[in-house]
Amino acid sequence: MRDEIINRFTSYARIDTQSNEDNEICPSTPGQLTLARQLVQELQEIGVEDVSMDDNGYVMATLPGNTVKDVPTIGFLAHLDTATDFSGANVQPQIVENYSGGDIPLNEAGNIVLSPRDFPELHKYKGHTLITTDGNTLLGADDKAGIAEIMTAMAYLIQHPEIKHGKIRVAFTPDEEIGRGPERFDVAAFGAEFAYTVDGGPLGELEFESFNAAMAKITCKGVNVHPGTAKGKMINSAKIAMEFHAQLPAGEAPEHTEGYEGFYHLSSIKGDVEETRMQYLIRDFDRQQFEARKARMESIADELRAKYGHDKLVLDIRDQYYNMREKIEPNMEIVNVAAEVMRNLGIEPVMTPIRGGTDGSQLSYMGLPTPNLFTGGENYHGRFEYISVDNMVKATEVIIGIIRRFEERAQS
């Protein structure tokens, strides 16, 4: 299982599948189709059934049940794309066998070092086999590790028919990192009663709470006049943008919040006197507070329009996903079984809220309750990303264990 996971993951990681929110087609980048086609071939080779890929790059397949018991159909999902935060092109995974502690040189020419001084959680991984970047790209364990773990689990179950299980559905989806993963996902065709995304981080993560999330795009319009004769005429769009941002609470930003605390995140700003564009992420676990955050931005926008002119500020707020807890709590058995399986494997479940979202956030509201399982990765979305192969094996064992446990609990 260990070698299979390494081979699958490093193969997937080398394919550039970084999504692109500026591209409206699905998938948003051609590399995602490249990986999807490879997965279709691999699924066919390992012997699962009903393998399909639609025009949008959604891959689905079935592992038929081999038990006489009435077992619910379980789904497992992972996403094809990698994050937009850092380059995903020309990924060169590096394998560190039996990590002994201390610094890991990623790129000697660039003096890029993965160090426990900066990332003290590395101390937990002494003796593990790690896969790192070469310092120039992200690794893509988010979520190609999840893909590799699901694929390895399906191959293992086919190779071990003595393990009884119900019908299993798997799916690999595009564009999760830009919030579009479930937009064209056919829940009815998938046909699972519930599912798990394999899209978490370190060992033991088991998540059924996510942010409520929205994106705000703001365009400030100005009037540019020669500064020598600008009195009473110039309107500086960059200053309108600064004024807008100054009215948001400074402490309610990602760098100052944790746990269940929400935030406003200025993710980008570009502009000059004539025009300035800003983009914000709005996040909160509580639905009422989430709505209040959006209302606050609308109120600030109205004040600035009254001051500078209605045409001088455009605010567009769009909801992205909601807290999946509302839909999963009535189905907590699926969380409890996963936690039981982890404990039986010597893994302590870490049930903390996701300070982000997964495809499960949207799928749960589409009628498919979908909590999230760990993959084993750390430092997602950047050059210092790495993953423990040992914990990838454990993630695969959790997938297999969940499948076995639901069959054991079922009525004959």
Side-chain angles (χ1 to χ4, degrees):
M1 186 180 289
R2 174 187 179 278
D3 291 344
E4 180 178 349
I5 285 174
I6 292 173
N7 291 337
R8 288 190 187 280
F9 173 69
T10 55
S11 170
Y12 306 153
R14 289 188 175 96
I15 301 171
D16 181 2
T17 61
Q18 193 169 37
S19 46
N20 180 2
E21 65 181 349
D22 295 327
N23 195 341
E24 295 299 325
I25 64 171
C26 181
S28 63
T29 51
Q32 295 182 70
L33 286 176
T34 301
L35 177 55
R37 293 188 189 102
Q38 178 173 324
L39 292 171
V40 165
Q41 181 178 343
E42 291 183 12
L43 287 163
Q44 292 169 338
E45 289 171 352
I46 66 176
V48 297
E49 299 181 4
D50 304 326
V51 182
S52 67
M53 184 183 78
D54 68 14
D55 292 341
N56 297 306
Y58 290 81
V59 176
M60 294 186 184
T62 301
L63 177 62
N66 64 357
T67 180
V68 296
K69 292 184 178 181
D70 184 16
V71 185
T73 300
I74 307 172
F76 291 91
L77 302 97
H79 62 87
L80 301 163
D81 63 319
T82 58
T84 60
D85 307 61
F86 201 67
S87 174
N90 194 32
V91 173
Q92 300 295 326
Q94 300 186 132
I95 297 175
V96 180
E97 295 279 3
N98 191 25
Y99 171 57
S100 59
D103 292 351
I104 302 174
L106 301 180
N107 188 301
E108 292 186 5
N111 195 28
I112 301 170
V113 177
L114 177 61
S115 173
R117 290 189 299 275
D118 302 315
F119 304 102
E121 66 277 359
L122 271 166
H123 291 300
K124 299 184 299 185
Y125 293 100
K126 287 184 179 180
H128 287 228
T129 295
L130 304 181
I131 304 178
T132 74
T133 76
D134 69 352
N136 294 315
T137 68
L138 49 70
L139 181 61
D142 180 10
D143 186 27
K144 291 169 182 174
I147 297 174
E149 290 155 5
I150 292 170
M151 292 289 293
T152 303
M154 294 305 105
Y156 186 89
L157 289 169
I158 289 171
Q159 294 161 8
H160 293 82
E162 72 277 7
I163 299 176
K164 299 302 178 184
H165 57 82
K167 181 179 178 181
I168 307 300
R169 290 283 280 162
V170 300
F172 305 119
T173 61
D175 291 335
E176 188 268 356
E177 295 289 356
I178 55 176
R180 302 183 202 159
E183 284 187 359
R184 307 187 193 193
F185 186 80
D186 192 334
V187 170
F190 191 52
E193 295 183 36
F194 54 86
Y196 299 87
T197 48
V198 187
D199 190 20
L203 180 70
E205 282 191 353
L206 172 57
E207 298 153 325
F208 63 96
E209 300 178 78
S210 64
F211 276 135
N212 296 291
M215 177 183 290
K217 294 184 177 181
I218 301 169
T219 303
C220 302
K221 297 284 189 178
V223 177
N224 198 3
V225 179
H226 189 287
T229 57
K231 185 174 182 179
K233 301 174 185 177
M234 177 184 284
I235 299 176
N236 192 323
S237 78
K239 289 186 176 180
I240 299 175
M242 292 165 63
E243 194 171 341
F244 184 101
H245 186 73
Q247 293 194 52
L248 294 173
E252 297 181 20
E255 60 268 33
H256 302 299
T257 55
E258 62 184 356
Y260 283 95
E261 296 171 330
F263 57 73
Y264 304 91
H265 173 42
L266 178 60
S267 58
S268 70
I269 180 169
K270 298 177 182 178
D272 51 28
V273 173
E274 195 76 25
E275 181 179 282
T276 300
R277 295 177 180 269
M278 299 189 292
Q279 183 169 292
Y280 284 88
L281 303 181
I282 306 168
R283 300 289 189 264
D284 210 294
F285 288 97
D286 181 270
R287 188 65 172 266
Q288 289 186 328
Q289 293 178 14
F290 172 64
E291 296 298 333
R293 288 184 184 280
K294 293 188 291 181
R296 184 170 194 162
M297 296 192 87
E298 293 282 6
S299 177
I300 295 169
D302 287 342
E303 290 179 18
L304 293 176
R305 290 187 190 109
K307 181 176 181 179
Y308 293 103
H310 187 77
D311 62 338
K312 293 297 183 283
L313 191 147
V314 177
L315 170 62
D316 178 22
I317 301 178
R318 298 186 183 184
D319 288 357
Q320 296 172 297
Y321 54 84
Y322 303 109
N323 189 342
M324 59 188 179
R325 177 175 183 162
E326 180 180 332
K327 300 300 181 181
I328 292 178
E329 275 192 325
N331 303 278
M332 279 299 288
E333 178 190 32
I334 61 180
V335 176
N336 295 336
V337 167
E340 176 189 352
V341 168
M342 288 186 190
R343 291 190 180 101
N344 289 341
L345 290 168
I347 302 166
E348 185 57 35
V350 181
M351 287 190 270
T352 57
I354 308 171
R355 289 184 60 80
T358 69
D359 278 348
S361 304
Q362 296 180 60
L363 290 170
S364 294
Y365 281 84
M366 294 166 66
L368 184 66
T370 310
N372 190 41
L373 304 173
F374 73 91
T375 62
E378 298 267 10
N379 298 344
Y380 284 168
H381 295 195
R383 71 171 82 240
F384 297 108
E385 184 183 356
Y386 66 94
I387 193 163
S388 160
V389 175
D390 305 60
N391 290 349
M392 291 179 75
V393 170
K394 291 180 179 179
T396 306
E397 291 172 344
V398 168
I399 295 169
I400 296 166
I402 289 170
I403 292 168
R404 295 183 71 160
R405 188 68 186 111
F406 274 103
E407 194 278 338
E408 292 167 355
R409 292 160 53 100
Q411 297 293 324
S412 299

